[in-house]
Amino acid sequence: MGTYPTRALSVLVLVLGVLGFGTFSSPHLPAETITIVAPYMGWVTNTYENDSYKLNLEDSGFLSGMYLQSINPSLFQWNAFLYYSPDVNYSTLWGGHFIVDFYPIGDFLGKYLVGAGVEVIRIDMDAGNSIKVPAGPPPATTTLEGFNLTNTIIIPYARVGKYLVFGMGPVQFSVLPWIGATYESVQGTIKFTAQFSPPPAPKTSIDTSFDDSAWYATAGINLKLTLFRFLDIEGKYQATFDGEVYHPSFSLIANLFFTRNWGLSYRYKYMETSGGKDSYNLFGVAYVF
């Protein structure tokens, strides 16, 4: 068995095992709805990969973002996050997600979850004559002249899971294992001219579009620790996979509140897709009402 199927099977076993465990979790209790708003600033590292044109570009740049979430612990939660970078990898980059979860059934073991979400990443690159790629045995290279690229990645998914909440009063720890299915769509255009063969051979001109899509299984686990209602630490791991592909995603969120309404927030995310990798570090101010 190869590396990717083994890792995928391990994730599924972990999620299914925790889904079936919950003897010591707390009951499903009603609660009021709260809303969180948090603007962010920080930096992003973007890696764009394209084997067909021997591209592997990595760069970091400024990133801003806005997060909005509404939670009723007994009924639902939804959250939306949008981020934007004006200059990374010769590109403007924006991305974000929208997720909604419902809790239709609760028992003494916890509460069940049915949800859906979508992740979107958009890259608009205008690199001019700045990119060089291999054009034969090292150190031979060629310049991609007038290089332009658009790349849109859309990843919708649906999931089911179960919340387990441990502890009472000022200290609580929750576990959310989940499984689901996802569809990844990668679309865009690419245009450039390059001298791949020595003169007097003509230059090669590329002006084409691409459209790739595939279905995958997905599974993940969310862990959250709340201390005295002033500190929240949350970690999320998600894997998207089939027999040949394994794309991990990891997030870390920390909120430190100084009053009932105001606090500081930190957000980190790393994700892999068919178009490359993205990671960001963001710092912001959170307001709860």
Side-chain angles (χ1 to χ4, degrees):
M1 182 176 289
T3 301
Y4 289 153
T6 301
R7 294 170 68 184
L9 181 60
S10 298
V11 172
L12 278 176
V13 169
L14 173 63
V15 170
L16 292 173
V18 180
L19 277 171
F21 175 77
T23 304
F24 302 103
S25 59
S26 65
H28 186 60
L29 299 175
E32 63 182 21
T33 301
I34 64 170
T35 300
I36 302 169
V37 180
Y40 289 93
M41 290 190 298
W43 67 92
V44 61
T45 298
N46 169 254
T47 301
Y48 176 75
E49 299 170 345
N50 189 315
D51 293 336
S52 299
Y53 302 108
K54 304 176 184 179
L55 292 174
N56 191 335
L57 308 176
E58 181 176 327
D59 190 24
S60 297
F62 172 78
L63 187 73
S64 60
M66 176 64 72
Y67 180 78
L68 181 64
Q69 182 179 34
S70 186
I71 308 168
N72 185 309
S74 298
L75 300 175
F76 68 88
Q77 80 84 28
W78 64 263
N79 68 82
F81 183 52
L82 182 66
Y83 55 87
Y84 171 76
S85 176
D87 186 13
V88 59
N89 255 343
Y90 314 107
S91 311
T92 58
L93 166 71
W94 71 265
H97 72 243
F98 178 79
I99 301 170
V100 59
D101 296 316
F102 297 97
Y103 314 127
I105 302 173
D107 56 29
F108 71 97
L109 300 179
K111 58 185 179 183
Y112 293 88
L113 173 148
V114 178
V118 61
E119 185 101 28
V120 180
I121 300 173
R122 169 76 180 194
I123 297 172
D124 289 285
M125 183 183 298
D126 184 359
N129 298 343
S130 301
I131 299 176
K132 295 182 182 295
V133 299
T141 62
T142 187
T143 299
L144 304 186
E145 301 173 10
F147 187 88
N148 280 269
L149 167 78
T150 65
N151 189 25
T152 303
I153 303 170
I154 304 174
I155 311 172
Y157 66 91
R159 64 180 182 173
V160 295
K162 185 177 183 180
Y163 263 108
L164 307 173
V165 181
F166 304 87
M168 296 181 65
V171 180
Q172 287 195 346
F173 179 71
S174 67
V175 181
L176 169 61
W178 59 269
I179 56 176
T182 187
Y183 178 81
E184 182 179 287
S185 171
V186 182
Q187 299 178 335
T189 61
I190 190 167
K191 180 180 180 180
F192 64 87
T193 301
Q195 184 75 56
F196 287 107
S197 301
K203 292 183 177 181
T204 299
S205 294
I206 301 295
D207 187 355
T208 187
S209 60
F210 52 89
D211 186 351
D212 299 316
S213 60
W215 284 94
Y216 300 101
T218 185
I221 189 166
N222 299 2
L223 308 174
K224 184 175 181 179
L225 175 66
T226 301
L227 298 176
F228 298 95
R229 297 187 179 180
F230 75 89
L231 178 63
D232 291 332
I233 302 175
E234 186 171 6
K236 302 178 181 181
Y237 183 83
Q238 176 180 348
T240 299
F241 52 86
D242 61 13
E244 299 179 352
V245 172
Y246 190 92
H247 291 155
S249 173
F250 174 76
S251 300
L252 175 66
I253 304 103
N255 298 314
L256 177 62
F257 288 93
F258 299 104
T259 71
R260 188 178 183 87
N261 302 105
W262 292 97
L264 298 178
S265 183
Y266 167 75
R267 181 176 293 267
Y268 168 83
K269 184 169 186 176
Y270 169 85
M271 69 179 298
E272 296 181 8
T273 69
S274 298
K277 309 179 184 71
D278 285 285
S279 64
Y280 56 71
N281 289 270
L282 291 171
F283 301 87
V285 177
Y287 178 69
V288 178
F289 59 95

